[in-house]
Amino acid sequence: EGDVKLAPPNVPLELLLDVDAAVQDADLCQELETNCRAWLQAVTTTMQHQLQKAHSGPGPLAEIEYWNDRGSTLTALLEQAAQPAVAAACDVLRRKRAPSLLDFEYSIEQARKLH
């Protein structure tokens, strides 16, 4: 449940921080787009699971457990989306105007609203 994983790109952070050079590297951009689509899938799946999840039982204790679990899962997701490597990859994809990034950013914004 709280084991949401947004795997950072398998690229040194320094390569991503040089956005001008990174957008010129077609292989790198393709890899980043693949990562972004995987992140989008992870975010979408996590949010669907959280929205479909029901309380574990009656009473206030079940209610507290429900909201604690939802909060910790969404916190983990948002913290991973803010990792330096993920943020740098998004900067490259933003400069490249990758359509997958728009969907990912929208999903992250929706996760923030649920949080």
Side-chain angles (χ1 to χ4, degrees):
E1 243 78 62
D3 294 343
V4 180
K5 299 288 182 216
L6 298 184
N10 193 19
V11 176
L13 182 59
E14 297 76 36
L15 290 178
L16 298 175
L17 294 176
D18 186 355
V19 176
D20 293 327
V23 296
Q24 300 302 317
D25 186 335
D27 291 336
L28 174 61
C29 288
Q30 183 63 39
E31 182 177 342
L32 296 179
E33 287 192 52
T34 299
N35 282 113
C36 190
R37 285 190 294 275
W39 299 334
L40 174 60
Q41 181 62 42
V43 171
T44 302
T45 300
T46 300
M47 287 180 30
Q48 286 175 345
H49 179 74
Q50 290 301 311
L51 290 172
Q52 293 171 352
K53 192 172 180 181
H55 296 100
S56 60
L61 204 49
E63 181 83 12
I64 291 168
E65 184 178 300
Y66 169 83
W67 288 107
N68 281 340
D69 182 55
R70 180 172 169 163
S72 65
T73 299
L74 293 173
T75 296
L77 177 72
L78 294 172
E79 285 175 354
Q80 289 182 55
Q83 294 177 83
V86 173
C90 289
D91 289 342
V92 172
L93 293 173
R94 193 172 294 109
R95 179 82 62 88
K96 192 78 172 165
R97 296 178 188 206
S100 58
L101 179 64
L102 295 174
D103 294 335
F104 174 67
E105 288 180 326
Y106 177 79
S107 292
I108 290 296
E109 188 56 38
Q110 294 306 307
R112 281 190 187 102
K113 289 178 183 178
L114 284 177
H115 190 252

